Amino acid sequence: MMKKSGLLLLASCTTSSAFQQVLTFNCLQNGPIRSNSKIPRAVQYMQPSSMESDDVKGRSRRLGKVDTPYKVSNGDKRVPRTELLAATLESVENVDTSLLGRFEMPVLGPKKVEAVTKVLSASLLITGNTVGSSMFVLPEAVGGVGLLNGSALFIGLYLYNLISGLLLADVAIELHESSDCEVPSSFKDFADVAMKSGAAGNAIGAASLLINSCFLAFGISHAGHLVANTLPGFGLEPTMVAAGFATILAVASFTQTNHGLEKIANVAVMVLFSSFASLLLPSLVNVSDPMGTLLAPGTNPGGFGPADAAAIPLILSSLTYQNIVPSITKLLDFDRTKSSVAIALGSFLPVAVYIAWCFAALGGGLANSSTSGAGGAALATFSASALIGSCVACTMSLAEEYESIISSAFSSENCSVKDKFSIPAVTMAVAPPAAVVLATGCSDLTCALHFCGAFVTPFLYGLLPIMLFQTISKKDGETASPPNLQSTILASGAVGFIGQEIIHDISQSIA
């Protein structure tokens, strides 16, 4: 601190004794002044503030310095550099500048860029898994309760699924950190390792296979109808188109790596958003009465109760993405922060897409925009990208489950890690849904989504995450901790969803 005040002392000194005190202090602090001290050229000559006294000159001579004559040219008012000035400037040069490093701007290095890219890629994979063909039946369900109430249901169910997804991510990460295995890649693995019960693992694996197979069958069926309706001049049968789509999906699944399938899903999501933007903007403009559409009452003749019972299962199943959470944690190297950000962002984007889609459809803007050539092409592109992204994600989840079953039945390696799905696993994942589509003549399978949203989803993604989280959180010899707020919300919601559907079915049967 004293070294930094040398220049201020020099400015305040007006007598020769004060100059001598400053010089003495600098000499004691810095030692003998070096004759070859380098001073910036810009400060070698300064305007005179005081004349150097004889005492100072004597002091300089005792320090071993020899005065060098300096000739002042005509008009040159500069004075020679004194030893006092040199000593003071030397002390200024020694000022600690390490504090300046605290103000350096952060630089986004290659590793941070790669981390951000991986998180965004995982988020898009979740979005692609969520936004699928189920959105085409949402406007009717949301119109039954009214768009304003339907938007509130979307936000509430988004938070419900977010809690479920974060709990499942914690389960996957905890199991990875507490075992020698590389990754628990399916719900069957979760139950086998966390609950230590083969029967529980088989039941949970069956529930996961059921819900994902229903979604995949729904997507394959709508893919057949989409291609047949988009190309009517070719006379294509929806059933045959669906079979061809399932074949292409299977071939791509066992020839590409997990990261390759992720890239395909991400490209589909990017096309989905670009086509959705080109379709949505004209549709929003063509909505004749925006406020009237938003505040319109429900259209269900039975009232809010039956409309709510019909809308919640479809919305809940349409927002489901938890089947891909184990793969997300694996892609993000089991990092909690990255997984949480990817899940929160990737599951929120579909909510915004669904609300905007329902608004445009209920307001009549979508029908007006799709009648034009550009609007029809944008709608077809949007529908195709939604189908491809969701079907790829569902196939990945199903293949993960079947890989777990195959490895446990025919392999002695409990910790096998594969970056590519086997042909048997992919065949078992795609063949049953495709067979259902062919057997039903490519009919509408909305009832399958309703069943999953009413019964399977509340159990698999509501009650199961609580059981798994409580099991892995319990230490040996300790009792399970009381349920926290998140677990209470999930349990209450799951019981409420199942109870509402049972009451609704009973009332419908009596009526």
Side-chain angles (χ1 to χ4, degrees), residues 392-450:
V392 168
C394 283
T395 304
M396 291 179 64
S397 180
L398 286 169
E400 289 279 6
E401 296 290 343
Y402 282 115
E403 287 285 5
S404 175
I405 296 174
I406 293 172
S407 62
S408 62
F410 302 102
S411 177
S412 59
E413 297 181 6
N414 296 326
C415 297
S416 59
V417 180
K418 297 181 179 179
D419 191 41
K420 181 183 294 186
F421 297 121
S422 63
I423 295 179
V426 173
T427 303
M428 296 171 69
V430 178
V436 171
V437 172
L438 296 178
T440 57
C442 205
S443 62
D444 186 19
L445 296 176
T446 306
C447 58
L449 298 185
H450 185 94

Side-chain angles (χ1 to χ4, degrees), residues 32-65:
I33 301 176
R34 300 180 298 273
S35 59
N36 59 348
S37 299
K38 294 182 179 180
I39 306 299
R41 186 176 181 84
V43 296
Q44 287 185 1
Y45 302 100
M46 300 178 64
Q47 293 293 334
S49 58
S50 61
M51 297 301 297
E52 191 176 0
S53 65
D54 293 337
D55 293 338
V56 175
K57 292 180 179 179
R59 178 65 177 170
S60 299
R61 285 192 291 269
R62 286 193 297 273
L63 289 172
K65 300 298 177 183

Side-chain angles (χ1 to χ4, degrees), residues 2-274:
M2 294 299 295
K3 287 185 179 183
K4 299 176 184 179
S5 62
L7 202 56
L8 296 176
L9 291 173
L10 175 61
S12 62
C13 293
T14 56
T15 62
S16 59
S17 60
F19 276 106
Q20 186 174 0
Q21 292 176 3
V22 173
L23 179 61
T24 304
F25 168 78
N26 282 287
C27 293
L28 292 175
Q29 293 291 322
N30 302 318
I33 301 176
R34 300 180 298 273
S35 59
N36 59 348
S37 299
K38 294 182 179 180
I39 306 299
R41 186 176 181 84
V43 296
Q44 287 185 1
Y45 302 100
M46 300 178 64
Q47 293 293 334
S49 58
S50 61
M51 297 301 297
E52 191 176 0
S53 65
D54 293 337
D55 293 338
V56 175
K57 292 180 179 179
R59 178 65 177 170
S60 299
R61 285 192 291 269
R62 286 193 297 273
L63 289 172
K65 300 298 177 183
V66 180
D67 294 336
T68 56
Y70 177 76
K71 296 181 181 180
V72 179
S73 61
N74 294 333
D76 191 352
K77 301 299 183 182
R78 295 175 297 178
V79 298
R81 180 184 61 185
T82 64
E83 297 299 337
L84 174 61
L85 180 60
T88 305
L89 290 175
E90 184 182 6
S91 65
V92 173
E93 284 182 335
N94 293 331
V95 173
D96 184 15
T97 60
S98 61
L99 295 177
L100 297 178
R102 300 180 183 178
F103 302 98
E104 293 180 357
M105 295 296 294
V107 179
L108 197 63
K111 292 185 177 180
K112 292 184 178 180
V113 172
E114 183 182 359
V116 173
T117 303
K118 291 182 67 175
V119 171
L120 292 178
S121 178
S123 300
L124 292 178
L125 182 61
I126 294 175
T127 303
N129 178 72
T130 308
V131 178
S133 55
S134 59
M135 68 182 302
F136 301 115
V137 300
L138 286 177
E140 182 180 357
V142 173
V145 296
L147 183 59
L148 187 62
N149 293 329
S151 301
L153 288 177
F154 273 115
I155 299 298
L157 293 177
Y158 159 74
L159 296 176
Y160 179 84
N161 282 334
L162 179 60
I163 296 173
S164 173
L166 294 178
L167 280 181
L168 289 174
D170 278 338
V171 171
I173 295 171
E174 286 289 342
L175 291 179
H176 168 72
E177 294 176 348
S178 61
S179 65
D180 296 331
C181 294
E182 179 68 19
V183 51
S185 56
S186 67
F187 286 99
K188 182 181 182 302
D189 294 334
F190 289 168
D192 288 341
V193 178
M195 304 181 73
K196 299 180 177 61
S197 172
N202 293 332
I204 292 169
S208 179
L209 292 175
L210 175 62
I211 189 172
N212 287 297
S213 297
C214 289
F215 275 99
L216 185 57
F218 187 84
I220 293 174
S221 174
H222 274 261
H225 286 287
L226 175 64
V227 175
N229 295 333
T230 305
L231 304 173
F234 290 89
L236 299 175
E237 288 290 334
T239 304
M240 300 304 298
V241 175
F245 177 76
T247 303
I248 295 174
L249 185 64
V251 173
S253 298
F254 65 73
T255 56
Q256 298 291 322
T257 62
N258 292 349
H259 290 282
L261 293 174
E262 178 193 1
K263 291 180 180 178
I264 294 175
N266 291 340
V267 171
V269 173
M270 297 301 295
V271 174
L272 182 145
F273 278 111
S274 60

Side-chain angles (χ1 to χ4, degrees), residues 485-511:
L485 178 61
Q486 292 85 350
S487 300
T488 303
I489 293 175
L490 283 182
S492 302
V495 174
F497 296 147
I498 297 175
Q500 173 189 256
E501 183 63 22
I502 293 176
I503 295 174
H504 175 70
D505 291 343
I506 293 175
S507 62
Q508 289 291 104
S509 61
I510 293 176

